[in-house]
Amino acid sequence: MTLTSARSLRRPARPAPPARWRSRKAQGWLYAAPTAAIVGVLFVAPLVLVVWMSLNRWPLLGPARFNAPGNYLKIADNALFVDAVFFTLKYTAITTVLLSAVALGLALLVQERGPGIGFFRTAFFLPGAVGFAAAGLLFYGMLNNDFGPIDPMLQALGITSEPVRWIGTPDMALFSTIALVLWRFAGFNMLILLTGLQAIPVEVYEAARSDGAGRRQIFTKITLPLLRPTLALMLILSVTGSLLAFDQFFVFTNGGPDNSTVSMVMVIYRAAFFRFDLGGAAAMSVVLLVALVGLNTLMMRRLR
């Protein structure tokens, strides 16, 4: 008896999987194939291309030349991008805090069923159906000093004596943009938080009230802890959207005045389509993506 035959006698053969199991596995791969193809074509392939572009001097016309890590080293020398980083972080912090507070207040206001609650829920959510570019043009028309209706109304009511430069100064441009974002997204975030609030069992509130807990204790000890996963989702969406802000500044303020409202994505856009430095724009995009993934991972761990 040979050594191979002896081993085959000592070790029983592994049974083959049943044909039904193999068929179900093949069906699973077939069902997942279209989604995997879409993700590969629309996400993985562009991501790989952007990383490769960031390692090359990639003009709009002409051949690319490998220059790693030149595109990454010159990011620190880009004064506009450095200023845009600080501005975007400031905008993200203010917007996230205000948007979370307003959305949570609206969700608590329309949480209980009652007469007219459906109307208010719909009214709060309706601005979310307006496109961001259309919302930016709408606010630009309302706040324009030449033909906007807001300044004449404020002067007629005696609130102001002269037109307000809504986008004429850096602080007012930031304030006006934040007002636009609150109007546009407060209702959408309210709907997310309302879903989380309605998922909290009513019995928990009844037990807390029977134990003598007040409204403040119920809110801090029951509502907020049980709402934590929903809050985490809303915060991740808010932070991600704020760090990737482009439409509101491009349409509403155009980065002005004096580049005071230029976001990181606007700098990337200008580098790619105004200076035709696709390699540098790709490098800044990769840096922004890595920072975004790291920040979201940190938030998920802290809010888990």
Side-chain angles (χ1 to χ4, degrees), residues 98-122:
L98 293 179
L99 192 58
S100 301
V102 173
L104 182 58
L106 294 177
L108 292 173
L109 184 64
V110 298
Q111 178 184 8
E112 302 293 338
R113 295 184 179 273
I117 292 298
F119 168 78
F120 285 107
R121 290 178 180 176
T122 305

Side-chain angles (χ1 to χ4, degrees), residues 105-177:
L106 294 177
L108 292 173
L109 184 64
V110 298
Q111 178 184 8
E112 302 293 338
R113 295 184 179 273
I117 292 298
F119 168 78
F120 285 107
R121 290 178 180 176
T122 305
F124 293 152
F125 178 73
L126 272 180
V130 179
F132 219 161
L137 291 174
L138 176 64
F139 266 66
Y140 180 80
M142 292 193 303
L143 300 178
N144 191 279
N145 296 128
D146 297 328
F147 51 82
I150 300 299
D151 280 331
M153 291 174 55
L154 295 178
Q155 294 177 27
L157 295 174
I159 299 177
T160 59
S161 58
E162 59 184 12
V164 180
R165 299 178 63 191
W166 295 104
I167 56 176
T169 63
D171 292 337
M172 289 304 299
L174 176 60
F175 168 79
S176 302
T177 307

